[in-house]
């Protein structure tokens, strides 16, 4: 499957390390299990996409609402730019890649969302900085010193260009991302981040730490010990797809063992099941108030990661871990009455918030994960 689901495109084999070994065929029991999960995942993807189509579109001003109550009612008309970009990406990718979603109305919704971004994302067209939040009519409500909005606008417009065949969208994506990079690295009011380094795998490459120093060393105190299992696992499947595309088997192994399985073991809540939102590398209590919550997106990312790892290794232990995470996730997050997933559970899996969307949850993690799982399951079941 395309590594563009991770925000980048796969290249040809050019990395180091031996070529991947031939994969063994699936046994009958594993095939039956995976076929059942493919049916369940596909059905859930249809339900989730339908929820956003029915409830999130704004035909009057364009764009999408992400602040939706359990039944899809809009409880806040604020439009978050990164959520706009994510929803455009999901619609365009599904239209382009999944035959049953190749529906004109879905592409038109993606196009309308892309035009809303081009029209409204930048409060000042002369300045590359995009807003973080917009009023319903597209006027800027909040601008912040980050590049989340710019990155997801670029991903959205690039995918929209691929889906429509309109090179103008892809050109706008490139121009926007290059301008945002210049702002981030060169402008006095930019975030001033150092070059990105993959130095978060610490402690003898046994722990992925959320924060490290600028020179790649562990920080002291609670901040330095903090682990975010969801971020590590999400990075793991992105690294794995990139490594597989380059034929770098050593990097693929590190992605699975260091970024997926290690954080999954550290973050799994044995007494209650599910992934903790945060974990302290020394086993102490994290200082984040929501550390013990069960959030939707780490579980969605873990589903993708474990299937990608199984597609690469065919290790039965990986399939057992996938089934463990999938059973927990599908039993607790989906809403059978109104569709889509709840996002925020307490440690005991009781419902903490009934909303289906907000500033941080929209039409992205759930449909992207389900789409990628469906693609991975098709790949695995099709054979080596």
């Amino acid at each position: 499957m395309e590594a563009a689901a991770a925000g980048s495109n796969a290249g040809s084999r050019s990395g180091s390390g031996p070529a991947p070994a031939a994969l063994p065929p699936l046994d009958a029991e594993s095939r039956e299990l995976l076929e059942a999960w493919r049916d369940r995942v596909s059905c859930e993807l249809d339900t989730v996409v339908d929820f956003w189509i029915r409830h999130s579109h704004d035909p009057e001003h364009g764009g999408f609402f992400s602040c939706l109550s359990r039944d899809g009612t809009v409880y806040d008309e604020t439009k978050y730019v990164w959520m706009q970009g994510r929803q455009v990406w999901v619609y365009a990718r599904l239209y382009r890649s999944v035959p049953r979603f190749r529906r004109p109305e879905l592409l038109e919704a993606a196009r309308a969302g892309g035009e809303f971004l081009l029209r409204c994302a930048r409060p000042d067209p002369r300045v590359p900085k995009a807003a973080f939040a917009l009023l319903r009519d597209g006027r800027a409500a909040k601008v912040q010193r980050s590049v989340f909005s710019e990155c997801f606008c670029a991903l959205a417009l690039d995918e929209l260009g691929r889906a429509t065949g309109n090179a103008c969208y892809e050109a706008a994506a490139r121009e926007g991302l290059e301008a945002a990079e210049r702002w981030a690295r060169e402008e006095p009011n930019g975030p001033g981040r150092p070059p990105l380094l993959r130095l978060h795998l610490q402690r003898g490459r046994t722990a992925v730490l959320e924060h490290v120093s600028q020179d790649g060393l562990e920080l002291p105190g609670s901040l330095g010990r903090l682990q975010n299992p969801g971020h590590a696992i999400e990075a793991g499947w992105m690294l794995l797809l990139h490594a597989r595309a380059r034929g770098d088997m050593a990097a693929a192994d590190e992605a699975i063992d260091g970024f997926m399985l290690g954080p999954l073991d550290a973050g799994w809540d044995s007494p209650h099941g599910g992934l903790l939102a945060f974990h302290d590398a020394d086993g102490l209590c994290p200082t984040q108030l929501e550390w013990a919550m069960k959030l939707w997106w780490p579980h969605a990312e873990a589903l993708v990661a474990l299937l990608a790892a199984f597609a690469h290794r065919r290790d039965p232990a990986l399939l057992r871990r996938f089934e463990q995470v999938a059973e927990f996730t599908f039993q607790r997050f989906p809403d059978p009455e109104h569709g889509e997933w709840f996002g925020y559970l307490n440690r005991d899996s009781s419902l903490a918030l009934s909303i289906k969307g907000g500033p941080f949850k929209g039409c992205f993690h759930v449909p992207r994960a389900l789409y990628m799982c469906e693609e991975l399951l098709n790949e695995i079941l099709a054979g080596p």
Side-chain angles (χ1 to χ4, degrees):
M1 66 180 300
E2 293 181 74
S8 62
N9 290 314
S12 59
R13 174 174 160 77
S14 59
S16 60
L23 296 172
L26 292 172
D27 59 71
E29 182 179 357
S30 296
R31 177 171 291 277
E32 182 179 1
L33 174 68
L34 290 168
E35 287 175 345
W37 275 111
R38 180 174 60 181
D39 293 343
R40 192 170 181 182
V41 163
S42 298
C43 181
E44 189 65 21
L45 177 58
D46 293 347
T47 300
V48 167
V49 172
D50 179 67
F51 178 90
W52 292 100
I53 290 174
R54 287 187 292 114
H55 299 300
S56 70
H57 298 184
D58 182 1
E60 182 177 351
H61 295 285
F64 311 107
F65 299 115
S66 65
C67 297
L68 303 181
S69 300
R70 180 184 180 186
D71 63 359
T73 303
V74 178
Y75 66 84
D76 187 334
E77 294 181 344
T78 303
K79 295 173 180 174
Y80 298 90
V81 172
W82 65 329
M83 292 297 165
Q84 305 295 307
R86 288 172 163 194
Q87 191 156 347
V88 171
W89 184 92
V90 167
Y91 282 4
R93 171 53 66 90
L94 290 176
Y95 176 87
R96 187 168 70 90
S97 302
V98 183
R100 70 181 184 277
F101 287 110
R102 203 158 294 150
R103 307 195 298 260
E105 63 272 18
L106 193 65
L107 183 61
E108 183 52 38
R111 194 197 310 271
E115 291 295 334
F116 180 80
L117 287 173
L118 289 173
R119 190 170 65 250
C120 303
R122 291 185 184 180
D124 184 346
R126 300 166 298 177
V127 178
K129 192 75 192 76
F132 179 73
L134 306 171
L135 301 177
R136 181 183 180 183
D137 61 9
R139 289 175 295 156
K142 179 181 180 181
V143 179
Q144 67 180 28
R145 293 174 66 250
S146 73
V147 292
F148 290 117
S149 295
E150 291 79 4
C151 289
F152 282 105
C153 282
L155 285 172
L157 293 172
D158 179 71
E159 189 61 33
L160 183 60
R162 296 166 187 261
T164 61
N166 187 337
C168 293
Y169 290 125
E170 295 176 80
R174 286 192 298 271
E175 187 274 331
L177 195 59
E178 290 167 359
E181 184 178 12
R182 288 194 299 272
W183 172 82
R185 297 191 184 279
E186 300 171 11
E187 292 295 321
N189 62 340
R193 299 288 294 179
L196 297 176
L197 302 172
R198 288 184 192 170
L199 296 173
H200 292 264
L201 192 56
Q202 295 282 329
R203 301 192 175 192
R205 311 191 79 75
T206 63
V208 181
L209 302 180
E210 184 77 354
H211 306 286
V212 295
S213 68
Q214 292 191 14
D215 52 355
L217 299 177
E218 181 174 340
L219 294 167
S222 299
L223 183 67
R225 299 192 305 268
L226 183 67
Q227 294 181 285
N228 184 323
H231 278 166
I233 292 168
E234 182 179 25
W237 68 251
M238 293 182 182
L239 291 170
L240 175 58
L241 295 187
H242 181 67
R244 289 182 70 188
R246 293 177 57 84
D248 189 341
M249 296 303 105
D253 288 339
E254 185 164 76
I256 294 173
D257 297 325
F259 283 86
M260 296 181 193
L261 297 182
L264 184 62
D265 289 338
W268 191 259
D269 184 10
S270 295
H272 301 282
L275 282 164
L276 298 169
F278 293 100
H279 180 260
D280 184 284
D282 288 344
L284 303 175
C285 181
T287 57
Q288 284 68 26
L289 299 181
E290 75 275 24
W291 73 269
M293 292 185 73
K294 309 295 168 61
L295 308 180
W296 83 103
W297 67 268
H299 295 81
E301 301 306 323
L303 296 176
V304 175
L306 290 166
L307 277 181
F310 182 73
H312 179 70
R313 278 189 183 168
R314 289 292 203 275
D315 180 352
L318 291 168
L319 185 54
R320 290 194 294 271
R321 295 303 297 271
F322 167 78
E323 190 173 18
Q324 178 190 36
V325 175
E327 288 290 355
F328 178 90
T329 301
F330 276 77
Q331 287 175 9
R332 290 163 175 82
F333 287 101
D335 179 2
E337 183 176 352
H338 296 287
E340 239 287 340
W341 289 14
F342 298 114
Y344 305 89
L345 308 181
N346 295 309
R347 186 172 188 178
D348 63 0
S349 298
S350 60
L351 189 61
L353 299 176
S354 64
I355 59 174
K356 295 294 177 56
F360 304 101
K361 184 179 185 296
C363 181
F364 185 61
H365 280 288
V366 177
R368 181 183 70 168
L370 294 170
Y371 152 70
M372 293 188 67
C373 285
E374 182 177 319
E375 294 286 289
L376 286 162
L377 287 162
N378 284 335
E379 173 191 331
I380 294 166
L381 289 167

